[in-house]
């Protein structure tokens, strides 16, 4: 990053975001005559049209930007199928992972955290740090890539509720886990949520869809999800430093109940800002939240009020990205991601790779596989990057560092990018096999 600055290259990225990843991507574009194809699990491929929004940078109170801000929320709501406006926050997505828990969960309640990999563990770490009681379904390294099935989760829910006097009152789950390439489809989520609500109808369901949304259909209202977290540097292809949160009425009503203000959601939304401030300050003191006070954020979003530190560039970029996605309807877009995933997995199978995730739980965002016997994953990754300009990722745990690759097929990519990837995989595997041959 220091060298980039010395060269006079400006990187528009929030300081709390994934700066090193964005810096690495920018460096590669700057020093290579040919643009690279970034097919990692995030950040995703660079789209010049999105980043050209810096030309429209303006004051956050400018009427044109206020309209853009409202438009982005409306477009997000059309994807989530939720009636309430989304919240836009200048923060990485982990801020919403943390704040959805800290705002809505009291220390007397008990929840369920389900992890299928590295990023799923964040909810467990958050709950532990903030002393939120929870059951934890973890994954061992040896079972990396083997999902917690719906049957296993529902059985666990029934067993815990049967022996405990206190029902599970909140759940945290990754819809898509990029470290293992595991995803839960709508029919999976529906069964899990119905099992929870059979014991506690008001159970708060928090879903991290940071890397899964837009590649998978996650109809929030239909699935009865209370808090749906969406990222920026994944399918939207933005730089990190902004994130999005879509809420149910149940979630907001839970926050209001914690304030003991005895006010309905509709009455709350009709209040004047000064009176609202008194209420969300009560929530802040009780739940120990300040910048990530979701009751405050929700009220401001509902009335299209500008946040204290709005991410103008990121919001303008999000508008450009959403406009690109809107060139296809939702069904067509989701089907294209499914087809990309299928094409990548078919090619890997032809080349002798071993798939890791059972098909029913395989992600449409990212594919994970073990390389054929005798090949080295790090060397194959290096060959793809240095010989063909394609960046993919390896394992995030040491156990599979030599054998595992992960390929992202979401974000702003086309069927031509996938075609180039498949041809390059053919050639890269052949190169690596010749290199490792005793005769060579």
């Amino acid at each position: 990053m220091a060298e980039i600055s010395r060269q006079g290259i400006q990187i528009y990225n929030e300081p709390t975001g994934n700066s090193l990843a964005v810096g690495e991507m920018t460096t590669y574009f700057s020093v290579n005559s040919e643009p690279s194809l970034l097919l990692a699990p995030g950040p995703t491929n660079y789209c010049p049209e999105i980043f050209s929004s810096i030309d429209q940078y303006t004051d956050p109170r400018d009427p044109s930007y206020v309209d853009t801000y409202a438009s982005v929320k409306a477009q997000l709501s059309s994807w989530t199928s939720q009636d309430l406006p989304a919240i836009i926050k200048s923060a990485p997505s982990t801020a919403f992972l943390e704040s959805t828990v800290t705002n809505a969960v009291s220390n007397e309640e008990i929840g369920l955290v389900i992890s299928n990999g590295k990023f799923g563990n964040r909810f467990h770490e958050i709950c532990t740090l903030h002393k939120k009681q929870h059951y934890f379904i973890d994954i061992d390294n040896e079972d990396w890539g083997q999902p917690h099935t719906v049957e296993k989760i529902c059985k666990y829910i029934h067993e815990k509720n049967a022996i405990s006097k206190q029902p599970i009152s909140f759940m945290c789950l990754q819809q898509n886990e990029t470290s293992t390439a595991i995803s839960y489809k709508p029919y999976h989520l529906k069964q899990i949520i119905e099992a929870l609500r059979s014991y506690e109808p008001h159970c708060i369901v928090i879903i991290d869809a940071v890397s899964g949304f837009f590649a998978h259909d996650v109809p929030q209202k239909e699935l009865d999800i209370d808090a749906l977290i969406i990222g920026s540097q994944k399918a939207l292809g933005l730089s990190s430093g902004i994130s999005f949160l879509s809420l149910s009425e149940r979630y907001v009503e839970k926050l209001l109940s914690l304030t003991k203000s005895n006010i309905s959601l509709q009455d709350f939304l009709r209040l004047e800002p000064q009176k609202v401030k008194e209420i969300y300050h009560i929530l802040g003191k009780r739940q120990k939240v300040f910048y990530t006070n979701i009751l405050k954020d929700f009220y401001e979003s509902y009335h299209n009020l500008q946040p204290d530190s709005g991410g103008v560039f990121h919001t303008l970029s999000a508008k450009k990205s959403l406009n690109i996605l809107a060139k296809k309807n939702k069904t067509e877009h989701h089907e294209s991601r499914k087809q990309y995933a299928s094409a990548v997995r078919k090619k890997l199978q032809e080349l002798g790779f071993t798939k890791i995730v059972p098909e029913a739980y395989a992600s449409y965002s990212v594919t994970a596989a073990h390389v054929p016997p005798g090949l080295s994953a790090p060397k194959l990754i290096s060959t793809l990057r240095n010989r063909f300009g394609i960046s993919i990722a390896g394992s995030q745990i040491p156990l599979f560092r030599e054998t595992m690759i992960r390929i992202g097929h979401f974000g702003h990519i086309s069927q031509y990018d996938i075609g180039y990837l498949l041809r390059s995989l053919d050639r890269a595997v052949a190169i690596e096999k010749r290199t490792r041959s005793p005769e060579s």
Side-chain angles (χ1 to χ4, degrees):
M1 294 294 288
E3 180 59 30
I4 291 172
S5 300
R6 281 195 290 272
Q7 294 296 327
I9 299 171
Q10 288 182 289
I11 299 177
Y12 296 95
N13 186 57
E14 295 293 338
T16 54
N18 193 4
S19 301
L20 290 177
V22 177
E24 180 180 356
M25 184 167 61
T26 305
T27 303
Y28 194 90
F29 295 149
S30 301
V31 301
N32 288 275
S33 58
E34 294 293 330
S36 74
L37 182 57
L38 184 59
L39 297 178
T44 53
N45 202 45
Y46 172 75
C47 179
E49 182 179 345
I50 292 173
F51 286 83
S52 69
S53 58
I54 190 64
D55 295 339
Q56 288 84 50
Y57 196 92
T58 185
D59 186 285
R61 270 68 184 176
D62 186 282
S64 65
Y65 174 74
V66 174
D67 290 343
T68 297
Y69 182 74
S71 175
V72 169
K73 292 186 294 181
Q75 285 177 284
L76 287 169
S77 294
S78 73
W79 281 88
T80 63
S81 73
Q82 184 56 270
D83 298 328
L84 299 178
I87 297 171
I88 303 174
K89 194 77 172 175
S90 291
S93 303
T94 303
F96 275 142
L97 267 68
E98 183 170 31
S99 62
T100 49
V101 172
T102 56
N103 276 257
V105 177
S106 69
N107 290 343
E108 296 77 33
E109 297 176 275
I110 188 163
L112 173 63
V113 174
I114 302 166
S115 173
N116 280 289
K118 182 175 184 290
F119 297 101
N121 289 339
R122 288 186 181 179
F123 273 130
H124 169 60
E125 293 165 0
I126 288 165
C127 289
T128 302
L129 175 66
H130 293 282
K131 296 180 171 58
K132 307 300 182 185
Q133 301 178 73
H134 64 286
Y135 303 118
F136 182 40
I137 304 179
D138 196 5
I139 188 168
D140 296 326
N141 285 352
E142 292 76 11
D143 296 325
W144 205 250
Q146 299 307 304
H148 300 302
T149 64
V150 169
E151 293 76 16
K152 174 184 175 181
I153 294 170
C154 290
K155 181 181 178 183
Y156 188 93
I157 290 169
H158 294 315
E159 288 177 348
K160 290 298 181 184
N161 279 304
I163 63 175
S164 174
K165 297 179 180 179
Q166 187 175 6
I168 295 170
S169 58
F170 72 95
M171 179 189 73
C172 302
L173 172 67
Q174 244 78 14
Q175 179 270 328
N176 188 80
E177 171 63 63
T178 57
S179 70
T180 54
I182 291 170
S183 74
Y184 289 101
K185 311 304 189 299
Y187 59 92
H188 294 140
L189 296 172
K190 184 177 179 63
Q191 292 178 67
I192 295 169
I193 293 169
E194 286 178 347
L196 285 164
R197 296 254 163 81
S198 68
Y199 293 95
E200 174 51 84
H202 301 292
C203 178
I204 295 296
V205 175
I206 301 170
I207 299 294
D208 171 2
V210 170
S211 63
F213 204 75
F214 298 111
H216 302 80
D217 185 23
V218 189
Q220 180 182 7
K221 190 172 183 179
E222 178 186 326
L223 296 175
D224 207 14
I225 295 168
D226 296 302
L228 185 68
I229 303 159
I230 304 170
S232 59
Q233 82 276 26
K234 303 291 185 178
L236 285 177
L238 314 180
S239 60
S240 57
I242 188 172
S243 50
F244 313 96
L245 175 65
S246 182
L247 299 174
S248 70
E249 289 189 8
R250 181 192 291 108
Y251 186 93
V252 183
E253 288 168 349
K254 174 67 183 295
L255 301 187
L256 289 171
S257 72
L258 290 171
T259 68
K260 309 292 185 184
S261 55
N262 196 29
I263 188 171
S264 70
L265 172 57
Q266 294 307 316
D267 287 342
F268 170 74
L269 293 172
R270 285 192 285 265
L271 291 176
E272 293 298 317
Q274 187 55 43
K275 183 62 178 176
V276 167
K277 190 174 183 179
E278 294 175 13
I279 294 176
Y280 71 65
H281 273 174
I282 295 172
L283 180 73
K285 289 180 181 178
R286 176 186 167 91
Q287 300 300 104
K288 296 181 174 59
V289 291
F290 179 69
Y291 178 68
T292 55
N293 188 312
I294 292 179
L295 201 55
K296 173 180 182 291
D297 292 339
F298 175 74
Y299 180 87
E300 291 178 347
S301 179
Y302 185 86
H303 292 284
N304 206 39
L305 303 174
Q306 297 303 299
D308 296 333
S309 54
V312 175
F313 168 65
H314 286 94
T315 305
L316 293 171
S317 300
K319 174 65 175 174
K320 292 243 184 183
S321 181
L322 288 165
N323 285 347
I324 293 172
L325 295 182
K327 292 177 182 178
K328 294 181 179 178
N329 64 44
K330 285 200 295 184
T331 301
E332 290 173 337
H333 178 78
H334 291 139
E335 185 59 29
S336 70
R337 304 304 118 167
K338 185 177 180 180
Q339 290 174 0
Y340 293 169
S342 178
V344 169
R345 289 196 264 272
K346 181 180 178 182
K347 172 56 67 176
L348 292 176
Q349 185 177 13
E350 290 173 359
L351 293 172
F353 287 73
T354 305
K355 72 175 184 179
I356 296 175
V357 183
E359 194 59 36
Y361 293 89
S363 170
Y364 301 150
S365 300
V366 56
T367 290
H370 290 302
V371 298
L375 296 191
S376 161
K379 290 183 178 179
L380 179 65
I381 292 168
S382 178
T383 297
L384 281 168
R385 182 176 61 248
N386 297 329
R387 297 284 291 270
F388 304 100
I390 298 175
S391 294
I392 65 171
S395 172
Q396 291 193 299
I397 61 170
L399 181 63
F400 297 126
R401 194 65 47 81
E402 282 298 315
T403 64
M404 183 176 174
I405 64 167
R406 294 178 298 136
I407 300 174
H409 28 73
F410 59 153
H412 294 288
I413 57 174
S414 69
Q415 59 182 340
Y416 304 106
D417 296 323
I418 295 297
Y420 177 60
L421 165 70
L422 302 185
R423 294 190 299 274
S424 300
L425 279 169
D426 271 327
R427 297 170 65 189
V429 168
I431 290 170
E432 286 306 301
K433 283 183 176 179
R434 286 198 304 269
T435 303
R436 297 183 70 87
S437 172
E439 295 179 2
S440 63

